[in-house]
Amino acid sequence: MHFLGKISCTQVETSAEQIPDFWFCNVNSKEAYEALSGFCPPVLAVSGVKNTGKTTLLERLVESLTGRGLRVAVVKHDGHDFEADVPGTDSRRMQEAGAYGTVVYSDKRYLAVKEQTGLCAADFFPLFPEADLILLEGQKYSSYPKLELVRREIGGQPVCPRETVLAYVTDWTDEGGRPCLRGAEVPVFGFDEVERIAAFAVDFMDGEARRGGLEL
């Protein structure tokens, strides 16, 4: 404390909703340091059957969380083989010449393309060690904790393993017009309650940090 009195420093209030507590951790032991050195950001999937609005909700959720100062990464699985390079670009020309991988970069970003089979979502988590949260799109049958989207006109019933669902987002309502899903034992949100869903995601992140053994 004497040292702090001799230097120029800034006091940061962490009780504000905009600043999650887990951004600031005490490292008082070897075990705490090892927990941080092997740290993987919390992972939360936005899941549901096709056409339930996963991409739209993800976009709005990322916007809300980013507005709170969080760094959010998104990993999306494409069930179809997709074109990673636009025809005519230099990287595409190298790929067509036989390169199994290409990287294009500037001083602000990079794009890497590599031919590799057997990939899964977890293979890409190390790309985002500085992220506060990694959001997945899809993964409905996975063991990842998830928000499941349920729409009346698209099946109308949950399909994800119940033990993996942290909350539902639905257009079903009760007689009072409140979001409601029959048999749900977890929170239920409406599609327009993006700020409440974002707050729920922040609480999830905080809980994951505590379970990871970090002293907050």
Side-chain angles (χ1 to χ4, degrees), residues 22-172:
F22 63 83
W23 276 7
F24 303 93
C25 304
N26 292 328
V27 182
N28 296 325
S29 67
K30 180 180 178 181
E31 290 73 23
Y33 175 77
E34 289 176 346
L36 284 172
S37 63
F39 176 71
C40 178
V43 178
L44 180 63
V46 175
S47 308
V49 299
K50 187 177 180 181
N51 295 327
T52 49
K54 296 185 293 294
T55 301
T56 298
L57 179 62
L58 266 173
E59 182 180 10
R60 298 179 66 191
L61 191 55
V62 168
E63 182 179 4
S64 177
L65 292 171
T66 301
R68 295 168 181 247
L70 299 174
R71 294 165 295 184
V72 182
V74 178
V75 176
K76 173 182 171 63
H77 176 256
D78 191 329
H80 307 282
D81 196 13
F82 62 94
E83 290 289 339
D85 275 326
V86 178
T89 60
D90 290 348
S91 56
R92 180 59 174 267
R93 289 171 61 188
M94 297 303 103
Q95 183 183 20
E96 292 173 346
Y100 84 99
T102 59
V103 174
V104 179
Y105 73 96
S106 69
D107 59 345
K108 295 182 179 179
R109 65 182 60 89
Y110 73 88
L111 172 66
V113 179
K114 180 181 179 181
E115 297 293 329
Q116 184 173 328
T117 59
L119 295 170
C120 65
D123 292 327
F124 305 99
F125 297 167
L127 292 176
F128 309 106
E130 65 288 306
D132 297 306
L133 176 66
I134 297 176
L135 293 173
L136 308 181
E137 180 174 344
Q139 306 287 333
K140 59 179 176 287
Y141 299 128
S142 72
S143 60
Y144 292 113
K146 55 183 63 71
L147 304 173
E148 182 174 2
L149 280 58
V150 180
R151 285 192 182 274
R152 286 179 292 181
E153 67 272 20
I154 310 294
Q157 297 298 323
V159 298
C160 299
R162 293 283 180 122
E163 67 273 12
T164 68
V165 179
L166 302 182
Y168 291 102
V169 182
T170 185
D171 55 358
W172 287 102

Side-chain angles (χ1 to χ4, degrees), residues 174-187:
D174 60 18
E175 294 180 355
R178 294 178 294 271
C180 178
L181 194 63
R182 181 180 300 176
E185 298 179 352
V186 294

